[in-house]
Amino acid sequence: MIKILIADDQAMVRQGFGALLGAQPDLLVVGDAANGAAAVEAARELRPDVVLMDVRMPVMDGLEATRRIIGPKVLILTTFDLDDYVYEALRAGASGFLLKDAPAADLVQAVRVVAAGEALLAPSVTRRLIAEFAARPHRDRPRPVALNALTPRETDVLRLIARGRSNTEIAADLVVAEQTVKTHVGRILAKLNLRDRAQAVVFSYETGLVAAGE
């Protein structure tokens, strides 16, 4: 059972998402919050697996709340299209991003995807987000020492993660078993002290491991 906390300053949004997600047999809404500060406190007390986080909220916005939440995966929900919020949200530690006007099925699937850690974002926005990262390369940064801990194969896997590939696609690209890819991903996250694939993507672009045009 995937436990969910919903953070949004609009009561109707919280109730609507709660009803939609609560109707799924594998999802359980354990609470909600009307602002970022309340979301941080609720996440600490309720220990959800996933927090649905609005960006613009009173008291504390969703980006700051995301920075302060430790443990649960954060799925950013916003009415704004891909802009600075998306990049900053993922840098803050969010595991995914979805527009509020996405179809109901996409929201349900996004929660499952983020909870499982198998992919970065809902497929409909993944490619565009990767382009967003690629348009903002950080040049002239020295290679992080942490990358030296990765094997050549793990480095290959990390580059493919940064390009938005799923485990299945990575397995096909490298001609290995999907379970082998999962093992590599786990070791990469552990060695680089990253929470999930989303942070791995941010790390790859910000350190220059993957650059625009690759």
Side-chain angles (χ1 to χ4, degrees), residues 50-64:
V50 177
V51 179
L52 297 187
M53 184 75 74
D54 188 22
V55 174
R56 293 187 173 181
M57 293 186 291
V59 185
M60 179 189 296
D61 67 26
L63 299 184
E64 181 59 30

Side-chain angles (χ1 to χ4, degrees), residues 10 23 71 82 149 181-182 206:
Q10 298 182 45
L82 295 175
V181 175
K182 291 181 179 179
E206 291 200 324

Side-chain angles (χ1 to χ4, degrees), residues 62-69 74 76 83-97 120-121 129 132-133 136-138 141 193-207:
L63 299 184
E64 181 59 30
T66 298
R67 293 186 187 96
R68 298 190 185 194
I69 288 178
V74 176
I76 295 290
D83 54 16
D84 287 346
Y85 286 116
V86 182
Y87 189 72
E88 290 305 318
L90 293 174
R91 289 188 66 193
S95 299
F97 168 85
L120 171 63
L121 299 171
L129 180 60
E132 176 80 4
F133 281 125
R136 304 180 177 198
H138 291 259
R141 286 194 174 186
N193 195 29
L194 301 173
R195 184 164 65 181
D196 54 30
R197 297 170 79 100
Q199 290 194 338
V201 172
V202 174
F203 177 90
S204 298
Y205 281 105
E206 291 200 324
T207 59

Side-chain angles (χ1 to χ4, degrees), residues 75-127:
L75 174 60
I76 295 290
L77 288 166
T78 180
T79 55
F80 302 96
D81 207 342
L82 295 175
D83 54 16
D84 287 346
Y85 286 116
V86 182
Y87 189 72
E88 290 305 318
L90 293 174
R91 289 188 66 193
S95 299
F97 168 85
L98 193 68
L99 294 177
K100 283 184 179 178
D101 61 1
D106 284 3
L107 172 59
V108 172
Q109 181 61 16
V111 169
R112 292 172 178 151
V113 163
V114 167
E118 289 297 322
L120 171 63
L121 299 171
S124 60
V125 298
T126 299
R127 300 299 178 187

